[in-house]
Amino acid sequence: MELDITFTETAQTYLAKLLEKQAVEGIGVRLFVTQPGTPSAETCLAYCKPGEEKVGDLKLALSLFDCYVEGASEDYLEGAVVDFAEDKLGGQLTIKAPNAKVPQVNEDSPLHERINYVLQTEINPSLASHGGMITLVEIEDNVAVLQFGGGCQGCGMVDMTLKDGVESTLMERIPELRGVRDVTDHTIRDNAYFK
């Protein structure tokens, strides 16, 4: 299986120097995402001594060392680029993983991934201006069970947002979805955008 992850030449050179200082024969790196598919996702790179690879890791053989990619993070690391840019203070290693928070999805992806993708890329960015967000709790009989948070919890406009915005967008993008249901306790109005 070929991984679509790029380590630039400058990143490989920089990391190879760091690995050399570890004085461990065959040491490499391990690339993974914590809390993948969520707004809190973080892309991480760690030392990986021989034998520290995990079951399910995918080996990416680079020219100067090996990188072990966590199998569960593979979809979230699709298209990732690891780079190193020198500056006056030495330089900075960066990992750009555009799919870490939401993996690329297509019509064959599981229903929950497609719903989360629409929530994270289309719906939540517009609700963020009101300090709000929506999360998928579960799916029951092709009905998305949603929870509103932040400025959307207890908001006086939540019914309109749910029916005219969220439900219509989700059902337009995901034809097999039969509807949405809100399970938020809207009696809590502390942060509500419209009270």
Side-chain angles (χ1 to χ4, degrees):
M1 169 168 292
E2 189 163 324
L3 297 169
D4 181 22
I5 299 171
T6 303
F7 279 75
T8 65
E9 191 176 318
T10 55
Q12 288 188 56
T13 302
Y14 171 74
L15 288 167
K17 288 178 186 173
L18 290 178
L19 293 170
E20 209 174 88
K21 292 178 184 176
Q22 298 302 305
V24 175
E25 184 70 30
I27 191 169
V29 295
R30 187 164 187 270
L31 184 63
F32 57 98
V33 180
T34 61
Q35 299 182 49
T38 71
S40 304
E42 298 266 340
T43 307
C44 305
L45 190 65
Y47 292 122
C48 187
K49 295 177 184 172
E52 289 183 339
E53 309 86 9
K54 306 273 192 255
V55 174
D57 281 0
L58 306 164
K59 184 177 177 181
L60 181 62
L62 302 170
S63 59
L64 301 175
F65 55 88
D66 291 332
C67 173
Y68 297 89
V69 178
E70 180 184 54
S73 297
E74 179 186 1
D75 290 341
Y76 300 95
L77 291 167
E78 185 76 21
V81 176
V82 181
D83 193 15
F84 179 77
E86 288 191 48
D87 60 27
K88 295 176 194 166
L89 301 174
Q92 183 171 354
L93 185 72
T94 58
I95 305 170
K96 293 181 182 167
N99 299 306
K101 294 182 187 306
V102 181
Q104 288 184 344
V105 296
N106 59 42
E107 58 192 40
D108 296 330
S109 298
L111 184 57
H112 74 277
E113 284 185 11
R114 289 183 285 144
I115 292 169
N116 276 324
Y117 183 81
V118 174
L119 288 174
Q120 299 300 330
T121 60
E122 295 184 47
I123 295 170
N124 281 340
S126 64
L127 296 177
S129 65
H130 296 173
M133 64 174 287
I134 299 174
T135 55
L136 176 66
V137 176
E138 63 182 333
I139 301 167
E140 293 179 350
D141 299 322
N142 283 13
V143 172
V145 179
L146 306 174
Q147 179 145 9
F148 286 76
C152 290
Q153 184 172 8
C155 178
M157 300 297 287
V158 75
D159 290 336
M160 183 185 297
T161 301
L162 180 66
K163 289 294 176 192
D164 295 341
V166 178
E167 185 173 57
S168 63
T169 300
L170 282 170
M171 291 180 70
E172 179 182 311
R173 304 288 187 277
I174 306 167
E176 72 265 33
L177 199 60
R178 291 184 28 234
V180 299
R181 185 164 52 92
D182 178 14
V183 294
T184 310
D185 180 358
H186 288 290
T187 62
I188 301 170
R189 304 176 61 120
D190 298 343
N191 297 316
Y193 189 72
F194 288 110
K195 294 192 182 198

